[in-house]
Amino acid sequence: MSRFVFITGGVLSSLGKGITASSLGMLLKARGLNVTIMKCDPYLNVDPGTMSPYQHGEVFVTEDGAETDLDLGHYERFIDTNLTRYNSVTTGQIYSTVIAKERRGDYLGATVQVIPHITNCIKESIVRVGNINDAEVTIVEVGGTVGDIESLPYLEAIRQMRGDVGRDNVCYIHVTYIPFSRTIGEMKSKPTQHSVKEMRAIGLAPDLIVCRTSRSLTREVRDKISLFCDIDPECVLEARDVECIYEIPIELERQGLAESVLKRLNMQAPAPDLEYQKQIVKNFRTNHTDKVRIGVIGKYIKVQDAYLSIMESLNHSSIGHNANLEIVWVASEQIEREGAEAVIKDLDGVLVPGGFGDRGIEGKIMAIKYCRENQMPFLGICLGMQCAVIEFARNQAEMPDAHSGEFSTTTGHPVISLMPDQSGVVKGGTMRLGAYPCRITEDTLAARLYNSSLIYERHRHRFEVNNEFRARLARKGLVISGTSPDQQLVEIVELPNHPFFIGCQFHPEFKSRINRPHPLFAGLFVAAHARMKAKPQP
Ligand code: GLN
């Protein structure tokens, strides 16, 4: 049976609980322990698949096709393990399960209530994650902030688990915020004290407190938190703002996070070797002469969380090269207003990510045309790949009205369309989701990058390249370098006679890891670096 670490948040949301959970996971895994991490989201949506990226940031897709919170991406990247749909649970799912059971009569006439029925369902989902992953430690992050009405059933469930599995098998970590008052020049621990008081009122007391802070905690603040919140001074940790998220586990290790957790859980494990992580951080912090500028052309660029995995994958791709990466966020609507050349000509590479809806589409298509015609390295992902196909059809294959069925119902050339068996879909859980196999065509850029003939990549889309136009596009020079094994679905397209022009229907960003940059991102970075080098230096 697994032991459990519960991570709650206080004072503010968006404190980096996910990174704390991920860092602890990494530190325990580095000690040889089998770890899994789970997110409980207190909202009523069944999953974030239908939520706006402005509200929720990116939707992270697991190998088994669940649409989950972006924290799952941090977890996978930090513990380098593929997680499953069971690693993410929402109130919407919990209530759906309980109500379905009630309808089936499973509760045998009982009055169905938050306690015990909802809380039991939450506890079962937590225990199940530990069991299916065969975890020695299951880390559970409870979304939201202590004090929210919505998170109460989760807090009650994790309180009960202390009795269910025994005090020595659970550890509670509370992540809070320590504001600094400029007027009096002091850090303030009062909000943290109040948050812990709130926890105590519902029967929970933290074993460790991780304080998010912009400056180092003073002895005085640390002692105050220790005294008022009734925890050992060495269990008050600080998480300072950092430039690179991979510094956080190293910093938390220095402060003894994992050791304190193991002590609480009565476990022992050898000290970890974090040399690799330290190298990575050093790499990010080195100021190289070469600056490679890759533009991400999207429509949600005001909220960079909407492209979190893209950003991380780009970061991974730069590791080990003597160059710094600068990600340039470009609004596709700016290209529509000002033209592609004016906006992107000074970049070294361009990435057009996935998306939904027609806002900004023409700007993306203009950017892709510029990349195609000007030897600019280009990677198109999902909608980005679909736009590349539209651009090619319009400007190279004599189909000037080419479009996607998502945006035009009247075009005579729907080069991107729904598959016949997909008509009549509703929103929510109806896309092609999760990992699918893809066969790579020999002697292509894709084959060189992947160095493999069969790959598995994660999908999240409804539309596909329309087979009716495949032959015509291919005749004009669009190379289809990856398809589903039955060849019915186009998965990768590319252009020969171009330094780097490739689009994929899947989302490679979900599989990139710090120690294994994804081949498509790695290829884009190398090509962009080469372009940067070839440019006359100022
Ligand atoms: N909107 C497109 C589709 O549904 C692309 C989706 C995406 O980029 N994730 O096919």
Side-chain angles (χ1 to χ4, degrees):
M1 167 105 166
S2 175
R3 285 151 160 120
F4 298 91
V5 179
F6 299 109
I7 303 194
T8 53
V11 184
L12 295 179
S13 59
S14 311
L15 279 178
K17 288 194 302 270
I19 300 282
T20 307
S22 307
S23 299
L24 176 62
M26 177 194 271
L27 296 173
L28 295 178
K29 187 172 174 191
R31 286 170 161 80
L33 293 168
N34 193 13
V35 192
T36 192
I37 316 183
M38 171 188 194
K39 175 87 189 262
C40 297
D41 271 308
Y43 49 70
L44 284 169
N45 303 61
V46 171
D47 62 43
T50 53
M51 279 153 109
S52 157
Y54 285 121
Q55 295 236 344
H56 190 270
E58 155 187 292
V59 173
F60 186 82
V61 180
T62 55
E63 200 75 359
D64 63 352
E67 297 177 272
T68 70
D69 188 80
L70 53 75
D71 276 318
L72 272 275
H74 285 310
Y75 305 164
E76 284 205 352
R77 289 187 284 269
F78 273 64
I79 63 173
D80 190 14
T81 304
N82 286 341
L83 300 175
T84 70
R85 58 178 60 253
Y86 301 109
N87 289 72
S88 161
V89 92
T90 67
T91 300
Q93 285 165 19
I94 298 284
Y95 272 79
S96 301
T97 307
V98 170
I99 291 168
K101 276 183 157 180
E102 186 273 337
R103 292 289 84 183
R104 278 201 309 268
D106 290 4
Y107 295 116
L108 304 174
T111 306
V112 181
Q113 294 178 299
V114 173
I115 305 173
H117 301 97
I118 294 296
T119 44
N120 281 352
C121 187
I122 295 172
K123 290 196 290 181
E124 282 158 19
S125 62
I126 293 173
V127 170
R128 182 175 54 209
V129 169
N131 289 343
I132 58 175
N133 288 288
D134 216 3
E136 291 166 278
V137 181
T138 304
I139 300 171
V140 182
E141 178 190 347
V142 179
T145 309
V146 168
D148 296 346
I149 291 176
E150 292 187 325
S151 40
L152 277 173
Y154 293 95
L155 299 177
E156 170 60 13
I158 67 172
R159 183 197 68 76
Q160 291 178 16
M161 283 198 66
R162 183 176 61 210
D164 294 356
V165 302
R167 179 64 184 104
D168 285 343
N169 296 320
V170 292
C171 174
Y172 298 97
I173 301 180
H174 194 50
V175 182
T176 73
Y177 179 63
I178 306 290
F180 177 80
S181 161
R182 276 175 199 272
T183 32
I184 41 176
E186 252 180 41
M187 301 183 126
K188 291 295 182 190
S189 68
K190 191 70 86 189
T192 299
Q193 294 175 39
H194 275 292
S195 175
V196 170
K197 201 168 143 202
E198 193 90 40
M199 285 180 82
R200 288 227 193 106
I202 50 175
L204 280 171
D207 298 305
L208 281 100
I209 295 185
V210 175
C211 302
R212 186 67 195 275
T213 162
S214 55
R215 45 187 83 199
S216 201
L217 287 189
T218 57
R219 183 79 253 168
E220 197 192 349
V221 170
R222 211 180 275 270
D223 288 347
K224 221 176 199 174
I225 295 172
S226 158
L227 179 67
F228 284 93
C229 302
D230 192 25
I231 59 171
D232 296 339
E234 70 269 17
C235 290
V236 181
L237 276 55
E238 67 180 36
R240 296 204 29 206
D241 302 345
V242 287
E243 239 168 79
C244 153
I245 54 172
Y246 295 98
E247 289 177 45
I248 297 171
I250 298 170
E251 183 46 36
L252 290 173
E253 174 66 17
R254 192 187 61 74
Q255 297 178 54
L257 171 71
E259 286 308 317
S260 298
V261 168
L262 290 177
K263 198 165 138 200
R264 173 67 258 167
L265 297 174
N266 266 329
M267 294 174 94
Q268 275 171 346
D273 176 7
L274 296 179
E275 218 25 64
Y276 182 71
Q277 277 82 358
K278 288 181 185 160
Q279 276 307 320
I280 304 266
V281 170
K282 198 167 148 213
N283 197 291
F284 279 125
R285 294 185 132 214
T286 309
N287 191 3
H288 298 282
T289 1
D290 290 3
K291 312 279 179 218
V292 177
R293 301 176 77 230
I294 296 185
V296 176
I297 302 183
K299 75 180 223 195
Y300 313 108
I301 56 154
K302 281 199 202 103
V303 187
Q304 285 164 18
D305 266 0
Y307 299 114
L308 185 67
S309 293
I310 298 263
M311 196 162 84
E312 287 303 314
S313 304
L314 283 170
N315 285 332
H316 298 167
S317 76
S318 71
I319 292 172
H321 296 277
N322 289 325
N324 293 114
L325 166 71
E326 185 195 339
I327 301 177
V328 182
W329 300 98
V330 180
S332 47
E333 286 156 307
Q334 188 192 348
I335 298 179
E336 289 171 8
R337 286 191 305 272
E338 298 170 23
E341 172 152 12
V343 184
I344 66 174
K345 74 167 187 320
D346 291 331
L347 297 173
D348 304 310
V350 163
L351 189 156
V352 179
F356 295 83
D358 62 358
R359 182 166 65 80
I361 281 294
E362 293 304 323
K364 291 179 184 174
I365 294 173
M366 287 159 75
I368 294 167
K369 178 168 190 278
Y370 183 88
C371 292
R372 180 176 56 76
E373 291 175 343
N374 293 280
Q375 309 286 300
M376 173 82 86
F378 163 77
L379 170 61
I381 293 178
C382 206
L383 180 63
M385 173 265 208
Q386 296 175 354
C387 288
V389 173
I390 295 168
E391 191 281 318
F392 189 87
R394 285 185 188 175
N395 301 316
Q396 294 285 286
E398 290 112 33
M399 300 182 235
D401 68 338
H403 223 318
S404 162
E406 186 177 359
F407 312 122
S408 165
T409 47
T410 52
T411 171
H413 299 99
V415 289
I416 306 295
S417 66
L418 283 182
M419 297 304 285
D421 60 351
Q422 272 185 320
S423 43
V425 290
V426 290
K427 288 217 165 103
T430 52
M431 287 188 267
R432 179 144 81 107
L433 284 167
Y436 283 85
C438 165
R439 281 236 170 266
I440 307 241
T441 317
E442 274 175 36
D443 294 324
T444 57
L445 173 61
R448 284 195 293 286
L449 292 168
Y450 277 99
N451 195 19
S452 168
S453 58
L454 180 67
I455 56 162
Y456 288 80
E457 292 280 9
R458 299 184 196 173
H459 292 250
R460 181 174 185 252
H461 57 98
R462 284 193 186 86
F463 291 80
E464 310 275 353
V465 173
N466 188 340
N467 286 338
E468 224 183 286
F469 298 97
R470 243 162 97 169
R472 203 164 149 188
L473 293 165
R475 261 199 316 275
K476 294 290 178 180
L478 186 74
V479 173
I480 293 169
S481 52
T483 66
S484 55
D486 66 2
Q487 299 190 5
Q488 286 309 297
L489 300 170
V490 173
E491 306 286 39
I492 311 179
V493 298
E494 60 184 71
L495 288 180
N497 310 320
H498 189 289
F500 189 93
F501 189 105
I502 192 160
C504 52
Q505 185 58 81
F506 46 78
H507 288 270
E509 71 271 26
F510 296 139
K511 291 186 80 160
S512 182
R513 301 280 164 84
I514 192 109
N515 51 341
R516 255 175 294 120
H518 191 284
L520 296 183
F521 285 89
L524 175 66
F525 186 85
V526 169
H529 192 189
R531 183 178 169 97
M532 181 242 117
K533 287 268 211 213
K535 265 199 300 219
Q537 298 303 313

